[in-house]
Amino acid sequence: MRVVLWAYFPDAEEILSKGAWATVSHTVASDIQVSADDVEKMIRFAKTKKLSSILDFPYYVFSIEGVSRSFTHQWVRYRIAAHMQQSLRYVKVDTSRADWFVVPPSILRMGIDATEKYIRGMLEAGRRYQELVSLVNPEDARFILPMGVKTHISSAFDAEEMIHIITQRTCFDAQWEIRTVAWCLLLAGLIVHPRIFSGVGPHCINIIDGRCRGFRRIRNCEEKAKQLHDTIQRLASKYRHRFEEMHVGEVLRIDLTEYLGFKVPEDFLKELQKRLGLSIDPSLYVLLEIVKRE
């Protein structure tokens, strides 16, 4: 999985602050001068009072790659956003490779037998797709593809919607794929605009909410959420300084596999490859990239 933040306003915190202070001033927003303290106060006030018009000013464009169609079916339900996704009508899936589908970590944790059964089923679907795509157009051949087929999607949304997504989907009740993306969004937000995304997280630890809204289907989920939130904050602090020193156009890359992904053991991988006769690695690798904007 690869999550890329590639478009945003670097000075969004100052922009929204100027616009907000202008609403209680005789001075137009473009002429207002704001201090760091002014920015801090206004962002805190806007988040506490949920002033959506203020948080609508910052905009973010993400591209998400190596996720399943199961994920994107959930993702596009965020309608206060714009989405553009890879088309399976015009793009043929290369099922001759062994990495065209997602393997859920829960299946990997079940052991090598369950993993082998799952992968063989996907490979069979891929073979049938190749047979069909030589007979009919991809628009109709795609019907045989499983929901685990990998895709990529680009999405644009404002800070208010991004905070909404993070708050909902960092919860441990959320489906694992969209939860992983949500934690990536939080880290990206904390690096580029730390004042906007400070205190943002799942409902149980959100500075505005502070109460569980999930079903607690995972044991000790609130404790796990707090631990992961602390980790994300530490990573943000670590990488923010490096990001600030980067030149425009450079890309900050953060491997989050250790915290959000799942890497299969080496002996597991060797035995799986031996059984399948394929060079395949079903591990979930998670990479966050942030492009330095001017």
Side-chain angles (χ1 to χ4, degrees):
M1 178 189 294
R2 177 171 168 251
V3 180
V4 185
L5 173 58
W6 56 277
Y8 54 93
F9 296 124
D11 53 349
E13 293 177 330
E14 182 179 344
I15 290 172
L16 72 83
S17 181
K18 285 186 173 186
W21 283 113
T23 64
V24 291
S25 170
H26 291 293
T27 307
V28 70
S30 58
D31 297 338
I32 280 186
Q33 299 298 315
V34 291
S35 65
D37 188 53
D38 291 332
V39 174
E40 186 80 34
K41 286 180 179 178
M42 183 52 69
I43 291 176
R44 190 185 311 117
F45 181 73
K47 288 162 63 179
T48 302
K49 300 298 183 182
K50 298 185 178 181
L51 303 179
S52 60
S53 59
I54 296 175
L55 294 173
D56 285 347
F57 267 68
Y59 233 75
Y60 307 87
V61 181
F62 284 89
S63 288
I64 306 168
E65 180 184 36
V67 287
S68 70
R69 284 258 162 181
S70 178
F71 160 81
T72 56
H73 289 348
Q74 302 172 80
W75 185 249
V76 297
R77 292 174 188 163
Y78 288 106
R79 294 181 291 277
I80 308 178
H83 305 287
M84 293 184 288
Q85 184 174 2
Q86 179 191 43
S87 171
L88 289 184
R89 292 184 66 195
Y90 299 101
V91 179
K92 294 180 182 179
V93 179
D94 184 5
T95 58
S96 64
R97 300 165 56 91
D99 61 349
W100 59 270
F101 54 87
V102 173
V103 182
S106 62
I107 293 177
L108 296 172
R109 292 189 183 97
M110 287 292 292
I112 196 163
D113 291 337
T115 302
E116 180 187 4
K117 183 178 294 187
Y118 175 87
I119 292 176
R120 287 193 183 280
M122 299 298 269
L123 295 175
E124 178 61 23
R127 282 191 288 269
R128 297 301 183 190
Y129 171 78
Q130 287 296 342
E131 292 173 2
L132 283 172
V133 86
S134 65
L135 300 172
V136 300
N137 57 47
E139 177 180 8
D140 292 332
R142 63 180 171 161
F143 277 73
I144 202 170
L145 289 170
M147 290 187 73
V149 61
K150 286 182 179 178
T151 185
H152 57 77
I153 188 169
S154 294
S155 302
F157 35 73
D158 58 36
E160 183 186 26
E161 183 69 353
M162 185 165 159
I163 290 172
H164 172 61
I165 293 170
I166 293 169
T167 302
Q168 277 195 329
R169 301 298 186 164
T170 50
C171 173
F172 275 73
D173 266 345
Q175 184 258 358
W176 66 269
E177 234 176 341
I178 203 167
R179 184 173 70 242
T180 301
V181 170
W183 284 105
C184 288
L185 262 60
L186 176 58
L187 179 55
L190 286 170
I191 290 174
V192 297
H193 295 142
R195 286 173 288 200
I196 292 177
F197 293 95
S198 173
V200 175
H203 284 291
C204 59
I205 58 176
N206 192 299
I207 59 170
I208 306 300
D209 203 334
R211 61 189 177 90
C212 177
R213 291 194 180 186
F215 296 99
R216 296 182 181 271
R217 288 177 289 196
I218 296 179
R219 188 178 179 182
N220 300 323
C221 57
E222 186 172 337
E223 180 182 342
K224 292 177 181 178
K226 289 179 178 178
Q227 290 174 351
L228 184 52
H229 192 263
D230 289 344
T231 298
I232 294 298
Q233 287 183 307
R234 286 197 301 270
L235 289 171
S237 179
K238 172 184 175 181
Y239 285 102
R240 189 183 306 122
H241 301 298
R242 185 184 304 180
F243 185 71
E244 290 171 351
E245 295 173 355
M246 292 172 60
H247 298 294
V248 173
E250 290 186 327
V251 181
L252 176 67
R253 293 182 174 87
I254 308 174
D255 186 350
L256 295 172
T257 305
E258 176 184 352
Y259 312 102
L260 301 175
F262 184 85
K263 195 173 189 311
V264 297
E266 192 63 32
D267 56 343
F268 182 107
L269 186 60
K270 288 181 178 178
E271 176 62 20
L272 180 66
Q273 292 176 344
K274 180 180 177 181
R275 291 190 185 189
L276 296 170
L278 290 171
S279 178
I280 184 173
D281 184 355
S283 300
L284 171 64
Y285 297 100
V286 181
L287 177 65
L288 171 65
E289 297 182 2
I290 306 173
V291 180
K292 181 76 171 185
R293 304 291 294 188
E294 187 174 2

